Structure formats: C-alpha cells, structure tokens
C-alpha cells in the first residue's frame, strides 16, 4: 500500500503555535517569578528545551508519518508519532466529507479533510487545497450518483 | 393530512421545571395564611400572576405543537414565531420507545420517543406525549400483521441479578446529594442542615475503628447504592424481550414507570455480553444490545437479556437472534505478550506505594486515613491483576460468515461483542512506542451508531492484525 503524504506546509501553523506557546509561557512566568531570579531562568531553559524538541523532532515526525491511501472501496489513513495509528474505512460507510479551511489556508494552500461515518470521524490535516477537493469528490462520487438514480435525476 | 395536538398534560410537563419553584412557596403561603384566600392573594399576588403567565405561555406553545401520523411517516409542526416542521419517514426510524411514567398512566397518556440514525446521541429525534390509543395505532402502522413470535421473560432472579449488577453506588450517591441540595432549595436551609447533621451523627456513632471521614464516604456510597438499587428495581421489573418477524420488542418497568421499545432487526448494531469477576465466578451473563435510540434515556441501559446462567443466556440469544454467529476467538495474543496485560495493574501498584509512602511520611495527621485509602486501592488493584490475567486467556478476534466476535476486558469487566461486518465503520491499528518494539498493536473497532461505540482489543500481533484487515476488506 502506497500512502500519499500530506503537504510539508502543514507544519508551519504548528511551529508558529509552539513559538506562541513559548512566548505566552515566558510572559506567564514573568508574572509569577522574579525575572532576574535563577528559578525563572531555569524554568525558561527547561521550557525552551521541551518546546525545541517538539518543534524540531516531534512536529516534523508527525508530518512524516501522516498520509492517506485510496483504493476502489477503501480509504486508509495513518497518523501519529509516538502513538502510531493506521485506520481503515470502507467508502460505502461514509456519511459526509467536509473540507475545512483556516486563515492560514489561502497562504499555505492547505486544508483539513474531515471524513464522518456514523459514530465517529477522522481528520486528514495539511492536504493541498486542490487535492482536498479532489479527495472529497472521489469519496462522495458514488453517493451522489446513487441519490441521482433514486430521484430519477 | 390530519394534524393532532399532544395530550394536554404536555403543558404541565413543559412548565414543570419553572413552575415547581413557584408552586411550593405558593402552597406554603396558602398554608400559613390559614386558608384565608384574600390574605393569600394580597400577599402572594405577584407570584400568582407569574404562575398564571407560565401556564398561559405553556398553553400557547402546546396549542401550536402539532403532529400527524401519515402513511409515509411522522410529521411534527411546532413554533409560533419560529416555525419548525419535521418529517421522519417510517423507513428511517430505528427505534420507537413508549414510556408510561405514573403521572401519565393515571391520565391515560404515554410518552413516545422516536429515533433515527441522525441527530444527537443524548436526545431523541421526536418526542411526543399522546393517548394510549394513538400510541397503539402508531405501533400497528409499523408492525403490520406478523404472527410468528419468540419471547423471553426475565424471571425474578435474573432481574434481581441484573439490578444488583447495574446498581451504581456513585450514581445513587449523586441522586442523594441532589435530593439534599434540592430539598434545601425548596424546603429551606434548615431542612438540609438537619439531614446533614443526622448523617454526620450516624457516622460518628457507627464508625468504630474507622476514621469518621472514611466512614461518611462509605455511608454515602452505601445509601447511594440503595437508592440506585430501588430506581433500577422500578425500571427493570417485568423485563421481557419479544421478536415478531423482523421486529424486536423490549418491555420493562413496574406499573409506575412502564417502558416499551420497538426496533427493526436491521437496526441492531451489535450484541455485547458483559461479565464482572463475580458473575464470572457464578457463571452468569448479562447481555446488552446496540440499537440506535435504545439506552439513551435518563438512567437507561441497553439491556437485552438480564443476568442468566451462561447456557441459558446463549440459548436465549440463539432463540431471539439466531442470525448472530458467535465463535471462539481464533486470533489471540501470543504467550510472549502475557506480561503486557499485567503492565497497567503493575504500574498502579508502584504508584500506590509511592503515594502512600509520601502521604504517610509528610502528613502525620492523616496516617490512618492514608493507610485506609491505600488498602482500598490495593484491593482494587489486586482485582485488576486477576482480571488482566483472565483477560489474557480470553482476548481475541474471530470472523465467521460476515459476523465478527471480539473478546476483551475494559476496566473491571470482560466483554464479548458480536456484530455484522456491515456495522463496522472504521478499524484502527494503534501502536504505542512499547508495542512498536514488540511488533504488537491494539485493534480498535468502531461500530455504527449515533455515539462513538469503540471496542479495543489489545496486544494482537501486527502481522495477524494486517492479515485480518485484508480478509475483512478483501
């Protein structure tokens, strides 16, 4: 099974979020501790190490492990880094598919595809916008034609 | 199309939440006025006006709330300024539940809840209060004329077993707390104080050799369990299951709270057998059923067969639903994964030791309480150890004639679930970093339904899992 990887651009908003969290935490620490104290410096250093690890290794690894594959009647999705997940779903069971866009989408040209089945749903983040639209059409193609037949359209 | 109004009791049901807070002070004022109406009205005229306004508003909303049982489905039409019209075709209805609580029974009404695979998993798609005759007419429209029928009646002991198992101390304790809090709201803080004082004094008298705090917690859980037991006894008495053709009927409840459910066979998503360590020793099974709509009412459980001996339970499942093919798991965790099953109770054991030592050393005043809670947690952990050992021998997956049987344990219970492959919406293979090294994984099965129904089978060899997926979706 050959999985199609998602766009590398998906890591940009995540990296930005990590940077924002870092700035926010430093601000929070400065309210609690004295900025010149050694406790403040130690906590900032530990936070920096943890967030740097997340930004340099974890987020890129998440991107590398994410992907999806389509066969005639199935869709396969893999995700996760420490906790690796591989999901299989029959296209027949899909109830609806939505393509979500964020304020980052026009700049990065990426979207999130949400596939809903009765009782659960799953997301593929960082799919190129045109590919997301194609995927949506492919997944719902059969259903659209079935409705058409029933209504005699 | 002939539209009907719901039973007028609907007005009271709708306004009861707001009105109850006014009715009790009004009645109390009437009592204190010594039956003198003039005195009462002059003192409480604002409350009386507000109460009449609430009743008036309830009447108007009821007047514009209409329904119709047409040939194709159910129409509901309601609203004054914002009008909403709902149509639910009979074909899409998964389940109909008829409830007869005591307040409806005395006026000849029933509450009908209609569910389809759409909408929220907490609220029904349509809920109407109608007369008994109308409800029968509704049943007949869906039922048709089917003569072949198979019935299972829950006897005294199976029902008792079910009630004992399903009574939850914490749920009951929550009821008990709500009762005290609400009584404080309605009857005054003095009454609430009196109840709390009597509970504390009872705890002080009876707590021999135990810290009073620990005893109060135990007392609350015990009272809670008793409350929960009574509620469940009223709910599940006279439980029976009946199948006529492709329609499944489930009836339960005492005369003050009757329930009747109707579902089609095609809407059965899964059957689940649940066992605790005690029912395992006693060779008993409780069987639950997954149908959209069933088990989503307040304090309602999706029971299919009450607690019977294993042999009888399996016989009853075969009688009512012979289509379900139960098989012994052929894809089991290999022996080398035995210790993986014991990992969680082992980590808990270590964590409890650390916590107990920490509190024992640093909190001198709470040493007895720390030891008491520590012992209770160790007992629970020992149970978990036993459950996980048994679980290792039982966990597994099998597939036969499009029916999958999965066995696993979750918290303190064992589960055996059977479902048609058609009801499987998603399968996930999950690997933690430890599982990755050992080439094993957890298989998560998501089944069709309104809410997420997921079943996790742990520690299956990854190559087995992949081959199973291939055979499943070939």
């Amino acid at each position: 099974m050959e999985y199609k990887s998602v766009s590398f651009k998906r890591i940009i908003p995540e990296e930005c979020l990590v940077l924002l969290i870092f700035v926010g935490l430093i601000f929070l620490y400065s309210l609690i501790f004295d900025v010149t104290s050694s406790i403040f410096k130690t906590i900032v250093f530990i936070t920096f190490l943890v967030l740097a690890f997340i930004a340099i290794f974890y987020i890129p690894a998440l991107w590398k492990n994410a992907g999806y594959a389509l066969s005639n009647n199935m869709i396969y999705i893999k995700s996760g880094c420490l906790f690796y997940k591989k999901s299989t779903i029959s296209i027949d069971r899909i109830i609806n598919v939505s393509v979500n866009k964020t304020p980052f989408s026009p700049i990065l040209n990426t979207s999130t595809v949400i596939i809903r089945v009765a009782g659960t749903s799953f997301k593929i983040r960082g799919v190129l916008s045109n590919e997301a639209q194609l995927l949506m059409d492919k997944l719902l193609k059969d259903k659209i034609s079935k409705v058409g037949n029933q209504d005699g359209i | 199309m002939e539209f009907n109004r719901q039973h007028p009791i609907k007005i009271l049901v709708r306004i009861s939440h707001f009105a109850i807070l006014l009715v009790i002070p009004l009645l109390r004022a009437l009592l204190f006025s010594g039956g003198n109406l003039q005195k009462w009205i002059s003192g409480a005229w604002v409350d009386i006006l507000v109460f009449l306004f609430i009743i008036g508003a309830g009447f108007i909303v009821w007047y514009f709330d209409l329904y119709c049982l047409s040939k194709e489905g159910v129409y509901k039409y309601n609203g004054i300024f914002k009008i909403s019209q709902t149509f639910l075709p009979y074909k899409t209805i998964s389940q109909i539940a008829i409830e007869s609580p005591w307040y409806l029974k005395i006026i000849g009404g029933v509450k009908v809840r209609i569910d389809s695979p759409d909408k929220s998993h907490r609220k029904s798609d349509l809920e109407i209060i109608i007369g008994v005759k109308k409800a029968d007419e509704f049943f007949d429209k869906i039922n048709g004329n089917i003569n072949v029928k198979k019935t299972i009646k829950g006897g005294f002991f199976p029902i008792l077993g079910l009630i004992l198992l399903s009574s939850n101390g914490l749920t009951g304790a929550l009821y008990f707390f709500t009762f005290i809090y609400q009584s404080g709201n309605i009857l005054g803080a003095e009454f609430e104080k009196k109840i709390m004082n009597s509970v504390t004094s009872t705890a002080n008298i009876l707590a021999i050799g135990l810290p009073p705090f620990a005893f109060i917690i135990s007392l609350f859980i015990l009272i809670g369990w008793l409350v929960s037991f009574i509620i469940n006894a009223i709910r599940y008495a006279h439980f029976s299951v009946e199948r006529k053709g492709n329609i499944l009927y489930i009836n339960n409840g005492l005369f003050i709270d009757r329930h009747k459910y109707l579902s089609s066979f095609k809407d059965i998503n899964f059957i689940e057998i649940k066992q605790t360590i005690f029912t395992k020793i006693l060779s008993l099974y409780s069987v639950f059923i997954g149908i959209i709509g069933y088990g989503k009412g307040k304090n309602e459980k999706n029971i299919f067969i009450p607690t019977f001996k294993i042999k009888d339970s399996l016989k009853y499942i075969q009688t009512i639903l012979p289509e379900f093919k139960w098989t012994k798991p052929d894809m089991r965790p290999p022996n080398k994964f035995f210790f993986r099953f014991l990992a969680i109770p082992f980590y808990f054991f270590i964590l409890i030791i650390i916590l107990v030592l920490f509190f024992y050393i640093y909190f001198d005043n709470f040493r007895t309480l720390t030891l008491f809670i520590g012992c209770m947690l160790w007992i629970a952990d020992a149970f978990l150890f036993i459950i996980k050992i048994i679980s290792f021998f039982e966990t597994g997956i099998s597939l036969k004639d499009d029916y999958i049987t999965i066995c696993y344990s979750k918290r303190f219970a064992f589960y055996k679930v059977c479902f048609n492959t058609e009801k499987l919406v998603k399968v996930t293979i999950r690997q933690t970093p430890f599982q990755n090294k050992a080439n094993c994984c957890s298989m998560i099965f998501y089944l069709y339904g309104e809410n997420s129904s997921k079943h996790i089978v742990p520690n299956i060899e990854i190559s087995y899992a992949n081959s199973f997926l291939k055979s499943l979706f070939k």
Side-chain angles (χ1 to χ4, degrees), chain A residues 74 82-89 93 117-122, chain B residues 421 424-433 448-449 452 466 473:
Chain A
M74 310 297 292
L82 285 174
F83 297 88
Y84 185 71
K85 269 184 182 181
K86 209 166 88 176
S87 299
T88 312
I89 184 170
R93 317 278 155 82
V117 281
T120 184
S121 67
F122 50 136
Chain B
T421 48
L424 191 63
V425 288
K426 177 176 145 187
V427 187
T428 298
I429 291 176
R430 189 181 64 190
Q431 274 188 305
T432 62
Y448 188 84
S452 172
N466 283 327
F473 296 118

Side-chain angles (χ1 to χ4, degrees), chain B residues 176-177 179-181 183 189-204 216 219-220:
Chain B
F176 189 53
F177 271 122
F179 164 71
I180 294 171
Y181 178 72
S183 60
E190 198 58 37
F191 186 75
E192 188 182 342
K193 227 180 203 175
K194 261 186 186 173
I195 296 180
M196 286 312 289
N197 282 344
S198 60
V199 170
T200 341
S201 56
T202 318
N204 281 330
I216 287 176
L219 193 70
F220 261 90

Side-chain angles (χ1 to χ4, degrees), chain B residues 163-229:
Chain B
I163 296 165
L164 283 171
L165 286 174
S166 53
S167 300
N168 185 337
L170 286 176
T171 320
L174 208 67
Y175 261 102
F176 189 53
F177 271 122
T178 320
F179 164 71
I180 294 171
Y181 178 72
Q182 287 296 339
S183 60
N185 265 355
I186 295 167
L187 300 169
E190 198 58 37
F191 186 75
E192 188 182 342
K193 227 180 203 175
K194 261 186 186 173
I195 296 180
M196 286 312 289
N197 282 344
S198 60
V199 170
T200 341
S201 56
T202 318
N204 281 330
I205 296 163
L206 296 174
I208 308 156
L210 273 177
F213 174 70
F215 191 81
I216 287 176
I217 293 176
S218 319
L219 193 70
F220 261 90
I221 291 176
L222 185 75
I223 295 171
W225 191 86
L226 277 174
V227 171
S228 176
F229 181 88

Side-chain angles (χ1 to χ4, degrees), chain B residues 42-56:
Chain B
S42 62
W45 65 273
V46 178
D47 287 351
I48 295 168
L49 270 183
V50 172
F51 182 66
L52 288 176
F53 173 76
I54 291 174
I55 290 187

